[in-house]
Amino acid sequence: MPIVRTVSRAVSQLLQSSGCGCGISIVPVRFIGVSPRQVASDAAFHSVSFSESDHPRVLITGGLGQLGVGLAKLLRKRFGKNNVILSDIRKPADNVFYSGPFIYADILDYKNLREIVVNNRITWLFHYSALLSAVGEANVPLARAVNITGLHNVLDIAAEHNLRLFVPSTIGAFGPTSPRDPTPDLCIQRPRTIYGVSKVHAELMGEYYHYRYGLDFRCLRYPGIISADSQPGGGTTDYAVQIFHDAMKTGKFQCNLKPDTRLPMMYIDDCLRATLEVMEAPAEALSMRTYNISAMSFTPEELAQEVQKHVPELQVTYNVDKVRQAIADSWPMNFDDRNARRDWGWKHDYDLPELVTTMFSFLGSDSRIAQAN
């Protein structure tokens, strides 16, 4: 199919130039034979343990983005290094390449993606390949191809081979007409970005495939995710990462949202653990296929006050970006995640004080940082 090959080349070129970790293409360049490993004795999860014979064979698409590498590390600790294959269309760093199986894979190449699933006897698939909001708005046809056509390929392969499929959704799947405080699992969704539209499409298609074909589809709507090992990329919620870097480097931070802009947030460790736990949950425990998950909700002003407990001299000013502010004003202020907590026992570990302390501990000490209690 010439169109698919053309789009696939375009995806590769865009991702190589933009640094967005959201692709995949094919041909196993390095794969070590799968053999079960003993689960680390210090692994701590809120869900049930697997025996060695139950280990899934896992494929992660778009694995070089913000979440994929961390997810692979968590899953390898849980199931054994060689049971988890990371994939992307970009070349991985050496530490990622040598940490476990990695393959080059393209979700727009249906045949070869299917070969990967068959040849490696995949049973679980985490589908992280997507063009995110900013990149997607800059190239809507490409975002439509990757986020929607790529999803359809994954859905068909997962249904054909009886996979357990996880596709993440997002706070951006809601729009200005959605209830914002709190936002329930089921409500009006009218997002105004191609990324948000494609995620609503993924939620509905996954649910359809579940009821029509029996696909074991599972989805979580992520809030803003905060991580110490990823640099801010100019997104709407990235101020919550930038403030830590600026506090340590200059002692001055300029926020591009209003001080009272409340958004749901989550530390990356909680996000990755929630992803694993919903995949481990018994199918009969799930009353729906897409869940909100939440940990905390705060404003820039509240975050700044908590950061100033560690860096008292931090100076915070506000220079509101109208575009980002409009996006933030259309997003939920609080996620209602009672169904996740009831159905499969979701509970978060990090509130705002723990988040701030953990971020500073990962980013390192500085002479301006006061000793925390």
Side-chain angles (χ1 to χ4, degrees), residues 156-205:
D156 286 343
I157 291 169
E160 178 185 1
H161 296 286
N162 196 30
L163 307 186
R164 184 171 297 185
L165 173 65
F166 178 84
V167 179
S169 190
T170 169
I171 185 177
F174 298 98
T177 56
S178 304
R180 300 184 62 221
D181 190 17
T183 303
D185 285 304
L186 300 176
C187 65
I188 294 172
Q189 294 177 254
R190 291 293 183 272
R192 293 181 177 176
T193 65
I194 186 60
Y195 178 60
V197 169
S198 69
K199 285 303 183 181
V200 175
H201 178 80
E203 295 176 13
L204 294 176
M205 286 297 292

Side-chain angles (χ1 to χ4, degrees), residues 3-17 89 106 108 131 139 142 146:
I3 295 177
V4 172
R5 287 196 294 270
T6 300
V7 172
S8 185
R9 286 195 298 271
V11 173
S12 180
Q13 292 167 359
L14 175 67
L15 296 179
Q16 291 287 351
S17 62
I89 94 178
D106 184 352
L108 295 177
L131 263 65
N139 194 335
L142 186 57
V146 174

Side-chain angles (χ1 to χ4, degrees), residues 221-299:
R221 295 192 188 104
Y222 292 155
I225 304 301
I226 300 174
S227 171
D229 55 7
S230 62
Q231 291 293 320
T236 303
T237 61
D238 278 353
Y239 83 87
V241 176
Q242 187 68 54
I243 188 172
F244 294 97
H245 293 274
D246 290 355
M248 296 182 67
K249 292 177 181 178
T250 67
K252 297 180 180 180
F253 171 64
Q254 185 177 87
C255 184
N256 51 34
L257 296 180
K258 295 178 181 178
D260 61 349
T261 304
R262 184 171 300 278
L263 292 169
M265 300 283 189
M266 179 176 287
Y267 185 59
I268 189 170
D269 285 8
D270 275 343
C271 173
L272 298 178
R273 182 172 51 78
T275 302
L276 174 56
E277 288 179 5
V278 75
M279 285 291 278
E280 290 185 329
E284 60 271 17
L286 304 180
S287 64
M288 56 187 64
R289 289 288 139 179
T290 298
Y291 289 90
N292 293 341
I293 54 167
S294 186
M296 66 194 89
S297 184
F298 56 74
T299 67

Side-chain angles (χ1 to χ4, degrees), residues 10-68:
V11 173
S12 180
Q13 292 167 359
L14 175 67
L15 296 179
Q16 291 287 351
S17 62
S18 70
C20 176
C22 52
I24 53 179
S25 231
I26 127 138
V27 185
V29 295
R30 177 178 179 266
F31 179 67
I32 305 170
V34 175
S35 60
R37 298 277 185 95
Q38 182 67 36
V39 178
S41 59
D42 62 344
F45 301 93
H46 295 312
S47 53
V48 297
S49 297
F50 273 63
S51 67
E52 282 199 24
S53 61
D54 290 329
H55 284 340
R57 309 279 188 106
V58 179
L59 175 67
I60 303 172
T61 69
L64 297 184
Q66 181 189 18
L67 299 177

